[in-house]
Amino acid sequence: MPDNAIVGTSWVVQELGGAVTSDPKPELAFGDDGRLTGTTGVNRVMGRYEVAEGLLTVADAATTRMAGPPEAMGQEERLLALLDAPQAFVVTGDRLEVGDGETLAVLVRPRVQPG
C-alpha cells in the first residue's frame, strides 16, 4: 500500500483500544500539507504528520484544554497516546486501521449527510 494513502483524507474514530468510541466521536484529517487537524471528541487537536515506510508519525501534537466528562477525557487520553508514537496503518476501502500487530484504532471515512 502506498504511504500516501491517508494524505488528504478525513476520518471518524470508531474504535480505540477495542472499545467503541462515544459521541461526539473523535475525527482526524490528514491535510495535503502534512498537517493533522481534528477533534478528540472534547478538544481540538492539531500537529504535523508524516507517512513513511508504512508508519504514521505525528509530531508537535497539541490540543485545546477544555474539560469534559470522565469517559470522554479517557477517550481523549487513549487517542493522544496512540498519536504519541509511530504506528503502522492499513487503509482498506473506507476503513483505516492503526496499530502494529494489534489494532489500536479503527477509523472510517465520514458519511456525507444527504441534503
Side-chain angles (χ1 to χ4, degrees), residues 24-96:
K25 294 190 179 293
E27 297 182 23
L28 297 175
F30 299 93
D32 293 328
D33 58 359
R35 297 200 49 80
L36 169 73
T37 58
T39 70
T40 65
V42 175
N43 287 290
R44 301 220 26 89
V45 63
M46 68 244 29
R48 295 180 302 112
Y49 77 94
E50 182 177 287
V51 285
E53 299 178 17
L55 292 177
L56 166 65
T57 303
V58 175
D60 302 328
T63 65
T64 54
R65 305 286 295 168
M66 293 175 28
E71 180 180 316
M73 296 309 293
Q75 180 173 278
E76 174 178 280
E77 187 177 309
R78 290 190 304 278
L79 178 61
L80 294 175
L82 176 75
L83 299 177
D84 200 34
Q87 300 289 344
F89 69 95
V90 175
V91 176
T92 308
D94 288 340
R95 183 179 171 103
L96 166 61

Side-chain angles (χ1 to χ4, degrees), residues 1-45:
M1 174 192 65
D3 280 340
N4 65 354
I6 64 171
V7 174
T9 62
S10 296
W11 304 89
V12 176
V13 182
Q14 291 292 326
E15 294 179 23
L16 276 171
V20 174
T21 54
S22 58
D23 290 328
K25 294 190 179 293
E27 297 182 23
L28 297 175
F30 299 93
D32 293 328
D33 58 359
R35 297 200 49 80
L36 169 73
T37 58
T39 70
T40 65
V42 175
N43 287 290
R44 301 220 26 89
V45 63

